[in-house]
Amino acid sequence: MKGNPYLFAAYAVTWIIHIAYISTIVARYSRLKREIAELKKK
Amino acid sequence: MKKAFPILGVLTAILLVYALYQALVVAPTEQTMGAVQRIFYYHVPSAWTAFLLFFINFGSSVYYLIKRCATADIVALVCAEVGVVFCTVVLITGPIWARPVWGIWWTWDMRLTSTLVLWLIYVSYLFLRRFSSGGQTPLLAAALAVLGALCVPFVYFSIWFFRTQHPQPVMGGGGSIDPRMMHALLINWLAFSCFAFLVCWSRYRLEKLSREVDEAHAMQSLLDPGGRAL
């Protein structure tokens, strides 16, 4: 079917953007948890 | 509330898979554009979700300006951030759709340009939040959000007021759409809205925790190692 690479690219890019953003949230949450653990030690 | 999150997460994942099935299998293939028209089921719901989030950002910012409520400030920040993510999807999927249909990736017509300007306004809002450390930052950001929100109806109605290359709106544009296409579109919008809600919820919890940690750091800096106030 004509246009399929564009369709695949659009759907793939959408999920890449969302997964990248969710990854930043997870990374920031992990960093905060480490900070909280350090604060509790002090 | 913590137990509700994974349940909603699973339900949203099922809804997203069902929406994908509707978009790729159930919805009929458009006669002139062919399969590439199915980008519509991700492009349009992403735009509607971004507009919805910018609208909530506007409401929260107005509430913050009136009441100085910290929760409203967090909601405004979260909605702007997630809204920018959805608006980025719109700005990338749009040119991917335009290339095979129009023969060009981009044109400086009113709908496309105003969407880019809207995105830039909310990116500048996030930069302001990120790099300004003064006590007035939430106030300035709320004022910017109110101005930015004025751009949202302009983006939506620009295709009515100006001659643009962009197609007319699906709803209220005077055209007709196959009921199966409309069903797939609405299911995808519902799925993306649920997904956006869950992402906003996670981001809200993160921001709240981040502010609590900042407060704890500030308190600790006021105390000496023995725990006595300096």
Side-chain angles (χ1 to χ4, degrees):
Chain A
M1 282 199 285
K2 196 184 167 190
N4 267 347
Y6 292 101
L7 177 65
F8 176 77
Y11 279 42
V13 159
T14 299
W15 285 110
I16 288 167
I17 290 168
H18 285 307
I19 290 166
Y21 178 62
I22 291 169
S23 304
T24 65
I25 293 179
V26 172
R28 281 187 273 182
Y29 190 72
S30 306
R31 201 165 52 233
L32 267 181
K33 276 184 103 174
R34 276 200 303 275
E35 269 186 55
I36 291 166
E38 280 171 24
L39 274 169
K40 278 181 181 170
K41 273 184 202 171
K42 288 178 183 176
Chain B
M1 287 294 273
K2 277 184 180 177
K3 280 181 184 173
F5 189 86
I7 296 166
L8 285 175
V10 171
L11 289 175
T12 303
I14 293 167
L15 191 58
L16 283 165
V17 172
Y18 177 65
L20 185 66
Y21 172 72
Q22 286 287 324
L24 293 179
V25 180
V26 178
T29 305
E30 209 266 348
Q31 285 181 352
T32 49
M33 286 186 268
V36 78
Q37 184 271 341
R38 292 177 196 277
I39 293 174
F40 167 77
Y41 303 111
Y42 267 34
H43 179 75
V44 176
S46 296
W48 288 353
T49 308
F51 290 162
L52 179 67
L53 290 166
F54 292 150
F55 180 73
I56 299 170
N57 166 271
F58 168 71
S60 305
S61 299
V62 169
Y63 190 76
Y64 179 79
L65 287 172
I66 297 166
K67 299 276 186 183
R68 298 289 191 275
C69 170
T71 304
D73 181 47
I74 297 175
V75 171
L77 168 65
V78 165
C79 288
E81 200 173 287
V82 181
V84 164
V85 172
F86 275 91
C87 201
T88 306
V89 169
V90 175
L91 284 169
I92 293 175
T93 55
I96 293 173
W97 188 5
R99 182 70 183 88
V101 177
W102 296 346
I104 46 170
W105 293 101
W106 183 267
T107 177
W108 293 100
D109 89 343
M110 196 50 79
R111 170 52 83 85
L112 278 69
T113 309
S114 58
T115 307
L116 180 64
V117 169
L118 181 73
W119 183 82
L120 286 170
I121 289 171
Y122 282 96
V123 167
S124 56
Y125 171 93
L126 295 178
F127 271 105
L128 175 68
R129 303 292 310 226
R130 176 72 183 81
F131 296 109
S132 172
S133 55
Q136 296 289 306
T137 303
L139 196 67
L140 292 170
L144 178 61
V146 171
L147 290 173
L150 296 175
C151 196
V152 174
F154 183 78
V155 172
Y156 190 79
F157 292 111
S158 60
I159 45 180
W160 291 3
F161 300 145
F162 300 93
R163 284 182 65 186
T164 73
Q165 192 146 359
H166 195 278
Q168 287 296 302
V170 178
M171 286 179 181
S176 61
I177 183 171
D178 187 292
R180 287 169 297 170
M181 286 181 169
M182 182 58 89
H183 181 253
L185 176 69
L186 294 177
I187 288 289
N188 271 282
W189 186 35
L190 178 67
F192 276 112
S193 298
C194 292
F195 176 70
F197 172 74
L198 285 180
V199 175
C200 285
W201 188 354
S202 309
R203 183 64 186 88
Y204 177 85
R205 280 163 55 183
L206 175 72
E207 184 62 25
K208 217 171 170 194
L209 192 63
S210 171
R211 291 184 185 200
E212 283 169 11
V213 169
D214 284 347
E215 277 177 25
H217 277 301
M219 285 295 289
Q220 201 172 44
S221 65
L222 290 172
L223 298 170
D224 68 3
R228 287 173 283 115
L230 289 171

